[in-house]
PDB file of all heavy atoms in Angstrom:
ATOM      1  N   PRO L 313     121.306  65.833  79.916  1.00 94.00           N
ATOM      2  CA  PRO L 313     121.698  66.984  79.085  1.00 94.00           C
ATOM      3  C   PRO L 313     120.760  68.187  79.277  1.00 94.00           C
ATOM      4  O   PRO L 313     121.097  69.334  78.983  1.00 94.00           O
ATOM      5  CB  PRO L 313     121.576  66.488  77.656  1.00 94.00           C
ATOM      6  CG  PRO L 313     121.660  64.996  77.771  1.00 94.00           C
ATOM      7  CD  PRO L 313     121.056  64.640  79.098  1.00 94.00           C
ATOM      8  N   GLU L 314     119.605  67.940  79.839  1.00 94.00           N
ATOM      9  CA  GLU L 314     118.580  69.033  80.039  1.00 94.00           C
ATOM     10  C   GLU L 314     118.786  69.734  81.376  1.00 94.00           C
ATOM     11  O   GLU L 314     117.828  70.208  81.968  1.00 94.00           O
ATOM     12  CB  GLU L 314     117.176  68.471  79.974  1.00 94.00           C
ATOM     13  CG  GLU L 314     116.849  67.733  78.677  1.00 94.00           C
ATOM     14  CD  GLU L 314     116.582  68.695  77.504  1.00 94.00           C
ATOM     15  OE1 GLU L 314     116.190  69.833  77.754  1.00 94.00           O
ATOM     16  OE2 GLU L 314     116.793  68.286  76.366  1.00 94.00           O
ATOM     17  N   SER L 315     120.033  69.772  81.853  1.00 95.00           N
ATOM     18  CA  SER L 315     120.277  70.387  83.185  1.00 95.00           C
ATOM     19  C   SER L 315     120.321  71.903  83.027  1.00 95.00           C
ATOM     20  O   SER L 315     121.318  72.540  83.414  1.00 95.00           O
ATOM     21  CB  SER L 315     121.572  69.852  83.792  1.00 95.00           C
ATOM     22  OG  SER L 315     121.484  68.473  83.911  1.00 95.00           O
ATOM     23  N   TRP L 316     119.306  72.481  82.489  1.00 94.00           N
ATOM     24  CA  TRP L 316     119.261  73.907  82.214  1.00 94.00           C
ATOM     25  C   TRP L 316     118.703  74.632  83.418  1.00 94.00           C
ATOM     26  O   TRP L 316     117.649  74.288  83.957  1.00 94.00           O
ATOM     27  CB  TRP L 316     118.393  74.200  80.998  1.00 94.00           C
ATOM     28  CG  TRP L 316     118.405  75.631  80.606  1.00 94.00           C
ATOM     29  CD1 TRP L 316     117.365  76.499  80.717  1.00 94.00           C
ATOM     30  CD2 TRP L 316     119.455  76.380  80.034  1.00 94.00           C
ATOM     31  NE1 TRP L 316     117.718  77.748  80.258  1.00 94.00           N
ATOM     32  CE2 TRP L 316     119.024  77.683  79.833  1.00 94.00           C
ATOM     33  CE3 TRP L 316     120.790  76.036  79.687  1.00 94.00           C
ATOM     34  CZ2 TRP L 316     119.834  78.699  79.292  1.00 94.00           C
ATOM     35  CZ3 TRP L 316     121.584  77.050  79.141  1.00 94.00           C
ATOM     36  CH2 TRP L 316     121.105  78.344  78.934  1.00 94.00           C
ATOM     37  N   MET L 317     119.453  75.632  83.911  1.00 93.00           N
ATOM     38  CA  MET L 317     118.972  76.423  85.044  1.00 93.00           C
ATOM     39  C   MET L 317     118.144  77.558  84.495  1.00 93.00           C
ATOM     40  O   MET L 317     118.677  78.621  84.096  1.00 93.00           O
ATOM     41  CB  MET L 317     120.179  76.972  85.851  1.00 93.00           C
ATOM     42  CG  MET L 317     121.052  75.902  86.442  1.00 93.00           C
ATOM     43  SD  MET L 317     120.203  74.918  87.701  1.00 93.00           S
ATOM     44  CE  MET L 317     120.064  76.125  89.023  1.00 93.00           C
ATOM     45  N   ASP L 318     116.814  77.307  84.492  1.00 89.00           N
ATOM     46  CA  ASP L 318     115.931  78.330  83.890  1.00 89.00           C
ATOM     47  C   ASP L 318     115.621  79.401  84.947  1.00 89.00           C
ATOM     48  O   ASP L 318     114.509  79.581  85.355  1.00 89.00           O
ATOM     49  CB  ASP L 318     114.646  77.652  83.418  1.00 89.00           C
ATOM     50  CG  ASP L 318     113.806  78.593  82.597  1.00 89.00           C
ATOM     51  OD1 ASP L 318     114.332  79.648  82.140  1.00 89.00           O
ATOM     52  OD2 ASP L 318     112.603  78.290  82.405  1.00 89.00           O
ATOM     53  N   THR L 319     116.658  80.077  85.344  1.00 86.00           N
ATOM     54  CA  THR L 319     116.509  81.083  86.364  1.00 86.00           C
ATOM     55  C   THR L 319     116.519  82.455  85.706  1.00 86.00           C
ATOM     56  O   THR L 319     116.599  82.603  84.502  1.00 86.00           O
ATOM     57  CB  THR L 319     117.694  80.968  87.356  1.00 86.00           C
ATOM     58  OG1 THR L 319     118.900  80.787  86.588  1.00 86.00           O
ATOM     59  CG2 THR L 319     117.511  79.776  88.268  1.00 86.00           C
ATOM     60  N   LEU L 320     116.364  83.463  86.545  1.00 81.00           N
ATOM     61  CA  LEU L 320     116.409  84.827  86.075  1.00 81.00           C
ATOM     62  C   LEU L 320     117.577  85.046  85.130  1.00 81.00           C
ATOM     63  O   LEU L 320     117.519  85.731  84.158  1.00 81.00           O
ATOM     64  CB  LEU L 320     116.564  85.700  87.329  1.00 81.00           C
ATOM     65  CG  LEU L 320     116.597  87.157  87.182  1.00 81.00           C
ATOM     66  CD1 LEU L 320     115.339  87.659  86.501  1.00 81.00           C
ATOM     67  CD2 LEU L 320     116.738  87.781  88.550  1.00 81.00           C
ATOM     68  N   PHE L 321     118.665  84.389  85.469  1.00 81.00           N
ATOM     69  CA  PHE L 321     119.902  84.502  84.737  1.00 81.00           C
ATOM     70  C   PHE L 321     120.288  83.096  84.330  1.00 81.00           C
ATOM     71  O   PHE L 321     120.996  82.400  85.072  1.00 81.00           O
ATOM     72  CB  PHE L 321     120.901  85.120  85.688  1.00 81.00           C
ATOM     73  CG  PHE L 321     121.855  85.977  84.971  1.00 81.00           C
ATOM     74  CD1 PHE L 321     121.480  87.248  84.638  1.00 81.00           C
ATOM     75  CD2 PHE L 321     123.090  85.518  84.592  1.00 81.00           C
ATOM     76  CE1 PHE L 321     122.319  88.078  83.949  1.00 81.00           C
ATOM     77  CE2 PHE L 321     123.951  86.325  83.915  1.00 81.00           C
ATOM     78  CZ  PHE L 321     123.584  87.618  83.586  1.00 81.00           C
ATOM     79  N   PRO L 322     119.834  82.614  83.156  1.00 87.00           N
ATOM     80  CA  PRO L 322     119.948  81.175  82.882  1.00 87.00           C
ATOM     81  C   PRO L 322     121.339  80.704  82.516  1.00 87.00           C
ATOM     82  O   PRO L 322     122.179  81.435  81.997  1.00 87.00           O
ATOM     83  CB  PRO L 322     118.998  81.004  81.690  1.00 87.00           C
ATOM     84  CG  PRO L 322     118.961  82.325  81.055  1.00 87.00           C
ATOM     85  CD  PRO L 322     119.215  83.363  82.085  1.00 87.00           C
ATOM     86  N   TYR L 323     121.623  79.478  82.871  1.00 91.00           N
ATOM     87  CA  TYR L 323     122.919  78.828  82.536  1.00 91.00           C
ATOM     88  C   TYR L 323     122.681  77.313  82.608  1.00 91.00           C
ATOM     89  O   TYR L 323     121.596  76.857  82.963  1.00 91.00           O
ATOM     90  CB  TYR L 323     124.019  79.290  83.493  1.00 91.00           C
ATOM     91  CG  TYR L 323     123.721  79.085  84.973  1.00 91.00           C
ATOM     92  CD1 TYR L 323     124.296  78.007  85.676  1.00 91.00           C
ATOM     93  CD2 TYR L 323     122.895  79.949  85.659  1.00 91.00           C
ATOM     94  CE1 TYR L 323     124.038  77.830  87.020  1.00 91.00           C
ATOM     95  CE2 TYR L 323     122.603  79.767  87.019  1.00 91.00           C
ATOM     96  CZ  TYR L 323     123.167  78.696  87.690  1.00 91.00           C
ATOM     97  OH  TYR L 323     122.918  78.508  89.017  1.00 91.00           O
ATOM     98  N   TRP L 324     123.745  76.556  82.320  1.00 94.00           N
ATOM     99  CA  TRP L 324     123.661  75.095  82.376  1.00 94.00           C
ATOM    100  C   TRP L 324     124.512  74.635  83.536  1.00 94.00           C
ATOM    101  O   TRP L 324     125.660  75.033  83.660  1.00 94.00           O
ATOM    102  CB  TRP L 324     124.151  74.512  81.062  1.00 94.00           C
ATOM    103  CG  TRP L 324     123.839  73.055  80.876  1.00 94.00           C
ATOM    104  CD1 TRP L 324     122.850  72.534  80.077  1.00 94.00           C
ATOM    105  CD2 TRP L 324     124.527  71.918  81.421  1.00 94.00           C
ATOM    106  NE1 TRP L 324     122.836  71.189  80.125  1.00 94.00           N
ATOM    107  CE2 TRP L 324     123.863  70.747  80.951  1.00 94.00           C
ATOM    108  CE3 TRP L 324     125.600  71.750  82.308  1.00 94.00           C
ATOM    109  CZ2 TRP L 324     124.240  69.471  81.319  1.00 94.00           C
ATOM    110  CZ3 TRP L 324     125.969  70.483  82.658  1.00 94.00           C
ATOM    111  CH2 TRP L 324     125.300  69.334  82.157  1.00 94.00           C
ATOM    112  N   GLU L 325     123.955  73.794  84.363  1.00 95.00           N
ATOM    113  CA  GLU L 325     124.738  73.260  85.488  1.00 95.00           C
ATOM    114  C   GLU L 325     124.168  71.868  85.814  1.00 95.00           C
ATOM    115  O   GLU L 325     123.007  71.734  86.138  1.00 95.00           O
ATOM    116  CB  GLU L 325     124.623  74.165  86.705  1.00 95.00           C
ATOM    117  CG  GLU L 325     125.176  73.604  87.989  1.00 95.00           C
ATOM    118  CD  GLU L 325     126.443  74.320  88.450  1.00 95.00           C
ATOM    119  OE1 GLU L 325     126.606  75.475  88.081  1.00 95.00           O
ATOM    120  OE2 GLU L 325     127.278  73.691  89.150  1.00 95.00           O
ATOM    121  N   GLY L 326     125.055  70.837  85.780  1.00 96.00           N
ATOM    122  CA  GLY L 326     124.531  69.517  86.071  1.00 96.00           C
ATOM    123  C   GLY L 326     125.684  68.511  86.300  1.00 96.00           C
ATOM    124  O   GLY L 326     126.843  68.774  86.032  1.00 96.00           O
ATOM    125  N   PRO L 327     125.269  67.356  86.865  1.00 97.00           N
ATOM    126  CA  PRO L 327     126.273  66.318  87.138  1.00 97.00           C
ATOM    127  C   PRO L 327     126.732  65.650  85.804  1.00 97.00           C
ATOM    128  O   PRO L 327     125.982  65.588  84.867  1.00 97.00           O
ATOM    129  CB  PRO L 327     125.498  65.308  87.989  1.00 97.00           C
ATOM    130  CG  PRO L 327     124.066  65.558  87.709  1.00 97.00           C
ATOM    131  CD  PRO L 327     123.917  67.002  87.295  1.00 97.00           C
ATOM    132  N   VAL L 328     128.017  65.211  85.834  1.00 97.00           N
ATOM    133  CA  VAL L 328     128.575  64.499  84.680  1.00 97.00           C
ATOM    134  C   VAL L 328     129.199  63.191  85.127  1.00 97.00           C
ATOM    135  O   VAL L 328     129.628  63.033  86.269  1.00 97.00           O
ATOM    136  CB  VAL L 328     129.619  65.364  83.919  1.00 97.00           C
ATOM    137  CG1 VAL L 328     129.003  66.559  83.249  1.00 97.00           C
ATOM    138  CG2 VAL L 328     130.765  65.777  84.886  1.00 97.00           C
TER     139      VAL L 328
END
Side-chain angles (χ1 to χ4, degrees):
Chain L
E314 303 283 335
S315 302
W316 184 250
M317 298 295 289
D318 189 16
T319 43
L320 182 58
F321 214 80
Y323 56 102
W324 194 102
E325 171 111 24
V328 291

